[in-house]
Amino acid sequence: MIPDDARPAPIHPAFAAPNRYLAVLAHYGRELALTLDTGRIYELALDGAVTLLGVPAALLCSRPTATAPGRVLLAQGVDLVLGEALAALSPQTTRSHITLTMIFNAERPEIAPEWRALTELLPSDAAAVAADQGLQLLLTLPVEQEQPALLHLLAPPPPLLSPDALAALRLLLGQVSVAQRNARLYLQATAWAQRLTALQTAGAEIGATLHLASVLATAVQHAVELVGAGTGVLALWNPQGRVLTAAAAAYGPALLDTGSSTAGPGDGLAGAVVRDRRLLLRTAAEGAAALPALVAVPLLWQGDLLGVLEVTDQHPTRLFSAEDQSLLMLLGQHTAGAIANARLYERAQGRLHQLTVLQDTSRAIISQLDYDTILRTVLRNVSSLLGTQMGAVYVPDERDGVIAGRAVVGVSMAGALTPLLTRRDGPIERVLQAGKTVAIYDLPTVGPPTDTALPPDVRSLLAVPLISQGRVLGALCIYAPQPRHWSPVEAELLLVFASQAAHAMQNALLFERLRAEKATLTTTITSMSDGLVVTDAGGRIILANPVADALFAVPFTTSEGANLLALLARSPYSVDYRGGDPTGDLLNVVLGQGLPYRGEIDVRGPTERTLEFSFLPVTRSSYQITGGLAVFHDITELRRVNDLKSDFLSMVSHELRTPLTSIKGFVKLVLLGEVGPVTTAQRECLEVADREADRLSRLINDLLDISRIEAGTVTFTWETLAPAPLVAEVLTVLQPQAAEVRLTLMADLPPTLPPVRGDRQRIIQILTNLLGNAIKFTPPGGAVQVSAAADGAYLRVQVADTGIGISAPALAHIFDRFYQVDSSHARAHGGTGLGLAITRQLVEGHGGTIQVTSTPGAGTTVEFTLPLAEG
């Protein structure tokens, strides 16, 4: 159980204030949010219920069903005999307890619990135990919505349970339900991750060998272990004989579900998989009771069936879940790929010379990006390997659709383009259209005599498609000087060459396209008016434009491979970062963590310039950082105009202050009757003028504050200050204003608030601005409250009101200078739109943050932080 010093004191429901319940709920809410352990969650639920209701005993148990009694999960103050009796209550009895009654008190609905006498529910011995403990009443509530768990609360009569206590308990149980759901989701995700890890391990072990027998044995063993089955068998498919033959087994004999080591299409579940080429399963409940649960998975590779994997479990209640089936399908894909690789390897053992030539060809074309050179290299090597020394590559002409020869070996281009080979229904056309291999034993026999004009010594043909990414790029043909039967091994070898050639062709085409795109990009970058430097993921320069060179007198454009920041530091000009130098590990921040950097740089060379510097990460669609983009935008003129604007505002504000002071003084003199009697109408006009003078004075003060902040001339007098007196001072000043519009102005501050470090007048200005806004935009009868609490190294202060609220679009601009919320209420109260902008600058000047949350029609909360005083 939870130690007494780690939990709140129990609440007496008859006398507790609502905020006491909220404090307890907050405590247990934090504890529930910090754990994913089911036992700990139940412990907090039981302890929280006892604390909230102040009952002497409580019990958590699983909900009983028609077939299984409940069991005690956790108890507090409950005897073992009593606990087991409560857990064993019938489902009907328990269900009748989970009721809440709605009553009306002074026309306000309240929820009342329904307590039951223990003597009506429990056996006599258990009831006696309860009576000895002074427990006579029982209230049962569901702990969760999704899982069978009940909370039994026991109390002596009469139970003291207010609506606030019950509401708090229901909120606690809601938090418990959410915490349990999160815990279960976490456990499910962890279990799935473990199974995926096991699948990954299995795939790695299966693919780690090219020995077919090892692949099969490893695959079937991992299949059984992956889904916790009893036995497994893997059968290979022979397409020529159309038969499945068991080749490996785990934890049992090498027999299929037919009871034999072989099966044909349609025989048993494995035969059905051969026929349908999809996963099939059978549960133990289907058919005779002796039949085990079974899953059969097709092993498919590139559309071909290689075999069937069967997994069996004799347990009568076993069901292979959708998750089990998905894992087996994924394992089947790994296994099919491994089988295909193993078979290819075994065949390749007898063709070492062929592999050597293939490797030489691969190396030659990988290092080559010229389209025609790739084709000639492939033709020379494969025709030599097959002993013919003759071949050609055909590609479709995209302009008129005719077949064109692109490369030849051993024959002339004219001979390769004879009508027999290039006609619409000829062998090359069939390869290009169907994407399949074509082998012809004797070419002169396949067409009319008029079409049999062939080059000398060309009698036979083997042609395969050049396919890349599902697209037929052309046809690779090998000729023989005499009629020849082409073996499947030769056709397969030619397909391997064709595959590599196709990919190399595609890469060559992509390279040409990228080269053209890079030329276009280079032209675009060169013509930009901003300086631009592109780097790789290590911060090394890839591309730059002359504007960047001119801005810093640094040869970015001719320093490919150099470090961006190191080269920038070599500028002969004075380069200063506004606001101080950026982090020393700027490359890691941008290129390692993917965080953009934006700042301003003052460059003093022949002329002084102010540059806006943006260093942004460049990512792929997979969010992998591939490089960086540095942009230098000249904002010298914008900065000059902004400085002029600030100077103008400052000058105008200063110049307006003196005549405004005189105007206000003379208005006061007239109002006081110093220059003669004043009529009622004149007084009203003068009072309006006086108020407008005050408003203009506030506007001038705001403009001066903004000017000082932008100019960086605002100074702070740092002191160690107690927050409570500052809040009290501001509330005292604003209380008449709040009373005038019938608002409740209050503070909710703990007595032990720590002191803060700040400027007294600036903090008072912050509070005055925020509370003044809250009063201004809260209708009569509302409330404005200041609250504060320590949070780490900061004091977190909230100003909350029940006013008109702020819409979501307006929230995005609430701290912009001169911005005012577009509403009739806001316009009626006027204002400069500078108060919140100044407030944010003052908060940030203290090293704090400020944010606003609001619901239109319900109120607004402004929260800001101030640093706590050290020590």
Side-chain angles (χ1 to χ4, degrees), residues 475-531:
L476 174 61
C477 301
I478 298 299
Y479 306 121
Q482 66 280 329
R484 176 171 172 173
H485 289 290
W486 303 94
S487 69
V489 172
E490 292 171 326
E492 183 181 349
L493 180 64
L494 191 59
L495 276 171
V496 173
F497 273 87
S499 176
Q500 292 197 348
H503 288 304
M505 291 165 61
Q506 188 70 24
N507 290 340
L509 293 173
L510 288 175
F511 175 75
E512 290 296 329
R513 188 181 304 164
L514 287 175
R515 186 160 55 184
E517 291 177 355
K518 183 177 180 181
T520 302
L521 179 62
T522 301
T523 302
T524 303
I525 290 175
T526 302
S527 63
M528 290 179 63
S529 60
D530 291 338

Side-chain angles (χ1 to χ4, degrees), residues 235-237 242-246 256-258 260-268 270-271 274:
L236 295 178
W237 171 245
R242 296 186 60 77
V243 64
L244 276 174
T245 303
L256 296 170
D257 63 296
T258 58
S260 170
S261 61
T262 60
D267 296 338
V274 171

